[in-house]
Amino acid sequence: MTPVAAKMKRGDSTDGGAASALGSRLSRIDGPAKIKGQARYGLEHHPANMAYAVIVQSTIPSGHIRAIDSKPAEAAPGVLLVITPDNVMPLKPITTWTGAPSSDKPYLALTREINFTGQHVAAVIAETFEQASEAAGLLRIDYEEKESIPSYDDPKSGAGNPLDAMAVAWGDAGRAFAEAPVRIEQTYRTPREYNVPIEPHGLVAEWQGDMLTVWEPSQWVNFMIHNYAEWYGLPDEKVRLISPYVGGGFGSKAFALGHGAIATMAAKMLNRPVKLAVTRPQTFTAFGGRPATRQTLSLGATKEGNLLSIVQKGANETSVDGVWVEPLASVTALMYATPNLSARQNIVPVNTVTPCALRAPGENPSAWGIECAIDELSYEVGIDPVAIRLLNYAEEDPHAKKPWSTRRLREAYEEGAKAFGWAKRNPKPRSMRDGHHLIGWGVAAGTYPVRRTAGEALVRIFADGRAEVASSGIDMGQGTYTILAQTAAEAIGMPVEQIEVKLGDSALPGAPVAGGSQLANLMTGAVHKAATAARDELIGLAINDPKSPFRELQANTLSIADGVISPPRGGESMSIAELLRRLGRDKIEVQRDTLPENANSAADKLATYNTITRMRSPTDGDYSLHAWCVHFIEVRVDEDFGTVRVSRVVSALDSGRLYNPKLAESQWKGGIIMGIGQALLEEGLVDPRQGRVINNNLGDYLIATNADIPDIEVISVGVPDFHASALGGKAVGELGIVGVAPAIANAVYHATGKRIRELPITLEKLLGD
Amino acid sequence: MSKPLKIKLHVNGVARELVIEPRVTLLDALREHLNLTGSKKGCDQGQCGACTVHVDGERVLACLTLAAQVEGREITTVEGLTPDGAELHPVQAAFLKHDAFQCGYCTPGQIMSAVACIREGHASSDAEIREYMSGNLCRCGAYPHIVAAVREAREALS
Amino acid sequence: MRDFTYARAASVEDARRLAQQSGAMLLAGGTTLLDLAKCGVARPDHVVDITHLKGLDAIEVTREGAHLGALAKMSHVADDKAIRAEFPAVSEALWQAASAQLRNMATIGGNLMQRTRCAYFRDPNSFAACNKRQPGSGCAARGGITRNHAVLGTSSSCIATNPGDLAVALVAFDAIVHLGDRKVPVDDFFLLPGATPDREQAIEPGEVITAVSIPASAAARRSTYLKVRDRQSYEFAAASAAVGLDLEADGRTIRDIRVALGGVATKPWRAHAVEKALKGKTLEPETVMRASLLAMEGAIAQGDNHYKIDLAPRVIARAILKVGGLA
């Protein structure tokens, strides 16, 4: 296990030190721009002579377009161009995020073949947004419809395709289950869920010669410029993507998508800048959200509650022309010690847009299954839900058979239970009531892996006493700007106010995806390395440069604090600015990466920043690296109406060291709140005939409002984990949501005696007896 | 095609002239014509609150308001909340202090809504704040911090 | 959104005149008109802005009742002290509708002209069949996702739910819609779909709603609006009830009772059968619950919305018992 020195920072408010130091609760430094309305998001750039594009989507789920009559649209006032499958510019195929070629055929952003309702089929570009919107409604599209499969509940979909690569097995799970004294076997389901960041997708594209500039929200600047560059057969340097602010992504803004191809080609065809904003309804099919999932879990146990076997058979929807795997065994095969386990998964092609990542893909639905099932088992054997989890506590990674780097899950149960008052819980369902409200307490655990990719940062210290940190990595609200300023301030020894952080621009040093909850850890590591090197260079100059006043001290080293350089044993101090002036230097500039020294060529960097091939798995190395959490949740269920409201949440989380607890807590709570919406509200409703997501808007696809959310208490139980990352942090952003939905379902069972195994837990599922 | 309208909008205390089609919404007039992008477009159909601005001191949705319709009224956007620009409005300061936002995209709408919520007298309890701030969706999940910020700003403004 | 002309009405007379143009629509709050114009459902050629008309936004409460100018904002009526005292159900229906911003825009008159939230109605690009939009084209909702559709008042041509909250309270308390000099009881103002679901309100082209009046009553004074929905706020009702109660001096015998339902019917739905069953009876839970079931007589489920038949009587019963001090 990891040795953790007592004096090491835990990353909580007890860290001490300067108010701005790493680990302190500094307010976000990009905050003022956001609260004053000065932060410019992607669609808020307005190059001269800009035209507006509006997309048209298919209204059939499967078939092909016989004909498109675009003449009425072309004749409409202000219309400059109509792009259809007939005149779409063929683009070159791209390399996917796994580093594999997507295809050997040209990429067509619009095709006559229709594979799902809501597929882009045309775009209208006009002088104004209003003109483009109106003309988009004038296209006459003649479809020939084919039989379609609207969802995996349609018998035509069959069982789907087995994914042997996703299978996990040890022991003889089938036999152990069959012979187990206690058996639970249930199916748990989650519906299609959507990212719905409040900033919809879209971009402004401008060509200047063969140089493309794109203002577009991005979770992965380097991959997206690579996508654009490959489409147009350009080197990456010919594409600049600018994304300093991202209005939420949650997994949906990492790739250049069809609308990006359309806007950039429209700009090229018209030779003028084009803005394309995907409408809110269109966002439901312009990219995929979390696929629908189902999993049958069979738990075998002793009468005392010791797990003997876990058998999982899972499936998720995918599209007919793409593959998305929602890894359903990711928590199942990790959370509990079991001598036998078997997990298999199918993907079932249906006529939908290819699903994609939504906060904790895999872990989220995986925890939904196992954390409900273990709760069911606890009632079956008559053991407290926390106790049964501790009884089956995995002391090491049961799959990889490696020790955990850190796993403060026991502490999470202990501290969470204490803060929640779990000990006072009467285990009997329907044992608590307040008027018409049945009250229930539920618990569930969650986990998210620590993903590791190398990064790179540029640090400049200027003669005016300021410093600058630069990276193409992005901040979509996680707090990247702030923690990188804190990291640099601490490493150099400067006030954080003097540090400017530049992010989200492909002209800056590269970074891998802001996804998989990895960016904070990898970027603090890179910035720390670069800033430390800059500080060392500064001290080296101070000691050795003939113009330096410190030279005569013959010191081995100097200290820097608060922007002031001081000799080790007293003597005159001097500000960094003053020293640089004396030396006649306008700046010190250092760029460092954290790639392995034997693999840091330009090609290695591209592979690191443009693909996920260099991302290290959580079990690569001697340890298994994961963040952990436990949610204790109280619900109030109106016994007549079946409405469920969450009234109390206490979550204890182990994300290792927190670089800024104020911001980490916000992310945890954000995950928990999204989890509350997932548990109670969110569900893509698909018309069974036409395959359309009919609640494709924010009035009908319900996400939680302010009134749905109680105060939430989050407790950090983590300790620095230097196996996990350079500065000791583990995953934060995606951890919080994992386990929330099962904790709520378990609380609903405790309140009502009704076990709901299909999300969301809407009132009709609780009405009746 | 109908004749473009020449209208004069009073935005943040300044009269701004523009020539637009009658169907241009206040939100698009602000964002696409007046270079005031603080008001955000999240849904363009009255379902998210990101475009909240004040018209004659009351909070409304700019996406369901025609620009022509508010000629002659006083429009305030987030950019005009602190006209001198020197200091933060107490609501803005409280949002920063309580980390009442993450991505920041719903934030101008939340702030404009919060200023009005307090002015209306609908911030007397946490429950009331939650209800009267529910017209502003936040996908990052900053709600508890928004409630804390509104509560604190209410005190500062009273 | 299609192109249209814009004109500001200088007076109610002017508004009537402008509204008679072919393809003209009135803009009061804009929350329905612009929303539906963006969906491609409303296709006005001329938008007549009545938001600047003077003298139509009064909120007056006298011994006879309330007189609400058609341009009074929902938020202002909701917060009006006299309305809250004399017509609590009206205030509660208003503040639980939409959001604070929308209530600052939407007007009392405009709110009565609100259209259904039926997803098939709202998406003409995807679903050609909608008798409400295009008479005779069919009903795409049947056989589709019907979780939010009506169980009462449906016809073979339409199953769309009326989304109103305020209208439910108005129907309960016999409000009158003023179309200038013409006065229409609100229950008659809303039309059943029948074979003409395109016609939702009894208003003629060129007519302008000028006011809504609500007669004072003991039942209105002791009233509530209970709205049940998946989300705590900013959502239409799964089922709602406006209920008013007047008890005899004994404090137990029901002298007068008003019950209307929202979220379950094709129009704001007065539950006369429930009222009749309870008048003269003693207010007690068992009686109330049994009587509330009568509201669902004739209800037809469409599949996904069967739960409304179970839910609505419970909402009614809870609302009655709540105003009666028993819940």
Side-chain angles (χ1 to χ4, degrees), chain C residues 24-302:
Chain C
M25 295 183 83
L26 297 182
L27 176 81
T31 57
T32 291
L33 175 56
L34 290 181
D35 175 34
L36 290 181
K38 288 180 185 190
C39 296
V41 174
R43 303 171 64 80
D45 295 311
H46 309 287
V47 166
V48 180
D49 180 358
I50 58 169
T51 61
H52 293 259
L53 292 184
K54 300 268 185 285
L56 279 183
D57 59 352
I59 303 169
E60 291 163 2
V61 180
T62 64
R63 257 185 306 186
E64 280 71 48
H67 182 88
L68 309 174
L71 292 183
K73 304 286 195 215
M74 290 173 73
S75 56
H76 296 177
V77 178
D79 285 353
D80 186 85
K81 280 206 179 83
I83 294 291
R84 283 163 59 183
E86 299 298 317
F87 302 94
V90 171
S91 171
E92 291 167 19
L94 284 166
W95 74 251
Q96 291 178 75
S99 71
Q101 291 94 311
L102 288 161
R103 297 191 296 268
N104 277 341
M105 305 164 73
T107 62
I108 296 299
N111 189 241
L112 300 185
M113 300 302 290
Q114 194 179 8
R115 306 297 300 274
T116 181
R117 298 293 303 180
C118 172
Y120 300 94
F121 166 76
R122 289 175 57 83
D123 191 352
N125 292 328
S126 306
F127 301 100
C130 176
N131 293 319
K132 203 180 258 310
R133 266 194 335 253
Q134 188 67 47
S137 61
C139 173
R142 286 185 180 278
I145 305 280
T146 55
R147 185 171 186 262
N148 297 325
H149 285 80
V151 293
L152 289 168
T154 57
S155 71
S156 59
S157 59
C158 187
I159 57 171
T161 306
N162 179 288
D165 292 303
L166 169 67
V168 178
L170 296 180
V171 162
F173 301 108
D174 297 323
I176 306 287
V177 181
H178 299 241
L179 300 154
D181 293 336
R182 189 161 85 91
K183 296 184 175 60
V184 183
V186 70
D187 202 17
D188 299 337
F189 182 74
F190 291 103
L191 305 173
L192 283 170
T196 54
D198 53 309
R199 206 170 137 72
E200 295 181 14
Q201 294 97 352
I203 184 168
E204 304 298 328
E207 282 192 309
V208 176
I209 301 174
T210 49
V212 172
S213 59
I214 322 169
S217 66
R221 199 168 303 125
R222 185 172 188 172
S223 67
T224 193
Y225 184 76
L226 179 60
K227 184 172 181 179
V228 174
R229 42 187 164 176
D230 292 299
R231 193 156 77 172
Q232 177 68 26
S233 183
Y234 204 3
E235 196 197 356
F236 296 89
S240 67
V243 161
L245 192 62
D246 180 27
L247 298 178
E248 301 283 1
D250 64 3
R252 306 174 58 229
T253 309
I254 298 170
R255 182 188 294 148
D256 186 18
I257 182 163
R258 312 292 183 86
V259 180
L261 278 172
V264 297
T266 52
K267 61 176 266 184
W269 195 262
R270 182 80 176 260
H272 291 290
V274 180
E275 297 176 2
K276 201 173 146 206
L278 286 173
K279 256 182 212 164
K281 299 279 165 39
T282 303
L283 180 73
E284 53 94 24
E286 179 81 358
T287 314
V288 167
M289 283 189 263
R290 209 167 330 111
S292 297
L293 293 172
L294 298 173
M296 291 294 111
E297 275 179 354
I300 302 166
Q302 306 296 333

Side-chain angles (χ1 to χ4, degrees), chain A residues 412-681:
Chain A
Y413 282 117
E414 194 175 314
E415 295 204 25
K418 198 168 77 187
F420 188 81
W422 184 262
K424 295 195 291 277
R425 179 178 181 269
N426 178 342
K428 205 164 162 276
R430 302 181 73 90
S431 57
M432 288 191 291
R433 162 190 294 276
D434 175 16
H436 297 285
H437 288 129
L438 300 168
I439 297 173
W441 290 1
V443 65
T447 180
Y448 196 81
V450 175
R451 306 190 194 278
R452 293 163 293 172
T453 313
E456 182 167 7
L458 173 68
V459 172
R460 293 188 175 111
I461 303 173
F462 296 106
D464 61 2
R466 292 180 307 110
E468 182 182 282
V469 174
S471 162
S472 75
I474 61 93
D475 191 333
M476 54 182 165
Q478 331 92 293
T480 317
Y481 280 109
T482 312
I483 60 171
L484 295 188
Q486 288 174 283
T487 303
E490 182 165 295
I492 300 169
M494 280 179 69
V496 74
E497 302 76 37
Q498 294 298 311
I499 298 188
E500 184 185 358
V501 180
K502 292 184 171 167
L503 296 175
D505 184 336
S506 60
L508 303 174
V513 62
S517 295
Q518 66 169 359
L519 194 73
N521 291 323
L522 76 92
M523 281 310 304
T524 51
V527 169
H528 191 268
K529 187 172 177 182
T532 302
R535 178 185 179 279
D536 290 348
E537 188 175 327
L538 191 65
I539 289 174
L541 285 169
I543 291 172
N544 299 319
D545 193 293
K547 290 192 229 116
S548 167
F550 294 108
R551 190 162 187 255
E552 60 205 45
L553 293 176
Q554 302 273 311
N556 292 326
T557 189
L558 298 165
S559 66
I560 308 180
D562 212 23
V564 176
I565 308 168
S566 306
R569 284 180 293 279
E572 203 176 332
S573 299
M574 178 176 289
S575 70
I576 293 173
E578 179 60 23
L579 176 72
L580 287 177
R581 270 198 298 276
R582 294 258 193 116
L583 301 181
R585 297 276 299 245
D586 63 342
K587 65 171 182 286
I588 285 174
E589 180 172 315
V590 174
Q591 188 161 337
R592 289 286 184 278
D593 65 64
T594 56
L595 274 74
E597 276 176 24
N598 60 356
N600 62 359
S601 68
D604 289 317
K605 284 190 178 182
L606 279 182
T608 304
Y609 307 146
N610 287 345
T611 73
I612 56 161
T613 56
R614 303 297 172 92
M615 184 187 277
R616 292 177 65 195
S617 101
T619 51
D620 178 14
D622 296 335
Y623 297 93
S624 181
L625 315 173
H626 302 268
W628 304 94
C629 64
V630 180
H631 306 287
F632 292 88
I633 295 184
E634 177 184 277
V635 298
R636 300 170 77 92
V637 183
D638 191 299
E639 66 172 330
D640 295 327
F641 307 154
T643 44
V644 181
R645 300 289 184 257
V646 172
S647 48
R648 215 152 57 87
V649 179
V650 175
S651 300
L653 306 99
D654 166 16
S655 289
R657 181 190 187 194
L658 305 183
Y659 306 127
N660 182 326
K662 183 173 185 167
L663 308 189
E665 287 166 12
S666 285
Q667 278 203 88
W668 283 341
K669 289 182 188 178
I672 292 163
I673 288 165
M674 199 182 273
I676 292 172
Q678 176 189 29
L680 302 179
L681 300 169

Side-chain angles (χ1 to χ4, degrees), chain A residues 59 134 436 638 640-641 643 645 681 686-687 689-690 692 694 702-703 705 707-708 762-764 767-768, chain C residues 1-3 119-120 123 125-127 140 142-145 147 228-232 235 307 314 318 327:
Chain A
T59 56
E134 178 172 7
H436 297 285
D638 191 299
D640 295 327
F641 307 154
T643 44
R645 300 289 184 257
L681 300 169
V686 182
D687 183 277
R689 305 153 305 181
Q690 195 253 22
R692 187 165 206 80
I694 65 150
L702 301 178
I703 65 171
T705 67
D708 293 287
T762 46
L763 56 89
E764 66 264 48
L767 281 175
Chain C
M1 190 161 26
R2 277 177 75 203
D3 191 23
Y120 300 94
D123 191 352
N125 292 328
S126 306
F127 301 100
R142 286 185 180 278
I145 305 280
R147 185 171 186 262
V228 174
R229 42 187 164 176
D230 292 299
R231 193 156 77 172
Q232 177 68 26
E235 196 197 356
Y307 74 97
R314 300 175 186 208
R318 175 79 64 81

